[in-house]
Amino acid sequence: MLKQTNGFLRRTAQVMIGVGVIVASLGVSHAQSPADKYPDRPIRMIVTFPPGGSVDAIARAVGQKMQENWGQPVLIENRPGASTLIGSTALAKSAPDGYTLIISVSNHTTNPAMRATMPYDTLKDFQPISMLALAPIVVVANPKFAANNVKDLIALSKAGNVKLDFGSAGTGSMTHLTAEMLKRQENLNMTHILYKGGTPALMDVIAGHIPMTFATLGQVLPQLQAGQVKALGISSAKRYPSMPDIPTFKEQGIDLVTTEWFGLMAPAGTPMPIVAKLNAEMKKIMASPGLGDRLTAIELVTSTPEELDAHIRSELTRWAPVIKDLGIKAD
């Protein structure tokens, strides 16, 4: 009887030791979650526009804060062209490890409606992390341009004696859509001149090569303040705090309100603990004192990954029929 009891105790002890090993291994596994040591090497942040624009400014401001907080370099990679398709394709094909990120804008949700085929799936190939910012669209002109507001622009178009070319950040961008909606609503005779981003278009306005361009307010604010361009109108619902002298389209009798959005994304399949860590970091960064001073005329915001995903889905639904109605195709 004693031998049987001792045998039972030995077997019980062996089982308990085995359970302990399993529990310990689970603890080690948990301690080695991908998010625990993330990031331990440089992060690449893709910008789908040339340097100098609003997306680039946000990326550099956010990247600098990430680098300060995490002690790892954040490398900004400008990959403009094809209405953000070049940079977005690079992101979609990157390893889903949290070390390649992108700041997406409205083109992400307008591109599918302009193209018969896409090199990636807009929803399935991307992991939303957080909304970062919102910005109104402003139409700015060379100081010598005859129009001083949108009403003057409409009058010039109807007179028919001035060539009304305009630039934007690219086909299907919110700047382009705002211009096309204004053109449609007011029956304006304007021609879109294609650029690879808002900055080259703005430079051509300053140089007098084209009379005007549609851009985010944050992008053109320094040039407005320096008198290099003048504002004809802004797409916000009410006058914007940082530039209260610019009249809204609505004030000028035009029922048009649009907003550009900026969202941080990663490749689909990025581990959710890393997504959660990045989301928490964005909330911390967007609340940083002084960040708003660096990004004047841009409204800094944050969201959950689920909220950004819902916004993207909503924008896809909203703009597809508008693009079809306007007849906008990828150039």
Side-chain angles (χ1 to χ4, degrees):
M1 181 69 179
L2 181 60
K3 290 182 179 179
Q4 290 178 341
T5 301
N6 288 339
F8 172 76
L9 290 173
R10 282 196 299 272
R11 287 193 297 274
T12 302
Q14 290 170 351
V15 169
M16 294 304 293
I17 291 171
V19 170
V21 171
I22 293 171
V23 171
S25 67
L26 288 174
V28 171
S29 175
H30 175 72
Q32 294 177 347
S33 165
D36 290 338
K37 63 177 183 177
Y38 175 85
D40 62 358
R41 54 189 170 89
I43 295 171
R44 179 172 61 128
M45 188 177 295
I46 296 174
V47 172
T48 55
F49 294 95
S54 295
V55 184
D56 187 71
I58 293 171
R60 293 181 189 281
V62 169
Q64 180 180 330
K65 288 292 183 182
M66 291 172 69
Q67 186 165 312
E68 291 172 1
N69 294 343
W70 285 349
Q72 290 293 339
V74 177
L75 311 174
I76 306 303
E77 184 175 315
N78 295 91
R79 302 196 66 170
S83 297
T84 73
L85 240 61
I86 293 174
S88 296
T89 301
L91 186 282
K93 294 180 178 180
S94 296
D97 53 13
Y99 289 95
T100 305
L101 308 172
I102 193 170
I103 296 182
S104 294
V105 294
S106 59
N107 295 76
H108 187 70
T109 52
T110 61
N111 274 325
M114 299 189 300
R115 290 173 163 78
T117 60
M118 289 282 290
Y120 54 78
D121 188 298
T122 301
L123 294 174
K124 294 180 180 179
D125 291 340
F126 296 80
Q127 170 59 56
I129 296 170
S130 177
M131 188 78 82
L132 299 179
L134 302 168
I137 306 303
V138 61
V139 52
V140 296
N142 184 281
K144 296 180 180 180
F145 186 51
N148 291 311
N149 52 53
V150 178
K151 286 185 176 179
D152 290 347
L153 179 61
I154 294 170
L156 279 174
S157 176
K158 291 182 177 178
N161 53 6
V162 177
K163 187 180 181 184
L164 298 178
D165 292 337
F166 70 91
S168 75
T171 304
S173 64
M174 191 55 59
T175 55
H176 179 217
L177 288 176
T178 300
E180 293 292 349
M181 291 173 74
L182 175 63
K183 178 180 174 180
R184 171 66 66 89
Q185 288 181 207
E186 300 301 321
N187 195 27
L188 302 180
N189 182 19
M190 301 195 307
T191 302
H192 182 221
I193 305 300
L194 183 63
Y195 290 88
K196 287 187 176 181
T199 300
L202 177 62
M203 293 302 101
D204 269 6
V205 171
I206 294 172
H209 300 314
I210 58 173
M212 59 186 166
T213 190
F214 288 69
T216 58
L217 179 57
Q219 179 179 13
V220 299
L221 186 62
Q223 290 77 18
L224 279 169
Q225 293 173 330
Q228 293 177 295
V229 292
K230 60 182 177 181
L232 309 186
I234 193 168
S235 71
S236 51
K238 56 185 179 181
R239 294 207 179 198
Y240 213 67
S242 59
M243 288 296 285
D245 293 335
I246 304 177
T248 66
F249 293 155
K250 294 193 75 171
E251 280 182 77
Q252 300 182 67
I254 302 156
D255 186 17
L256 178 57
V257 176
T258 57
T259 304
E260 180 64 277
W261 58 270
F262 307 79
L264 186 66
M265 309 242 273
T270 300
M272 292 312 294
I274 290 179
V275 173
K277 193 168 187 176
L278 282 163
N279 181 267
E281 179 69 5
M282 292 308 107
K283 285 181 168 60
K284 180 180 178 181
I285 288 174
M286 290 304 159
S288 301
L291 186 66
D293 297 336
R294 291 184 56 187
L295 298 171
T296 310
I298 298 174
E299 180 186 355
L300 303 181
V301 299
T302 58
S303 73
T304 65
E306 294 76 17
E307 287 169 340
L308 178 54
D309 180 69
H311 178 77
I312 289 170
R313 292 173 186 274
S314 174
E315 290 289 280
L316 282 166
T317 302
R318 176 189 179 192
W319 290 109
V322 174
I323 291 169
K324 182 179 179 181
D325 182 57
L326 292 171
I328 298 175
K329 302 289 185 181
D331 293 290

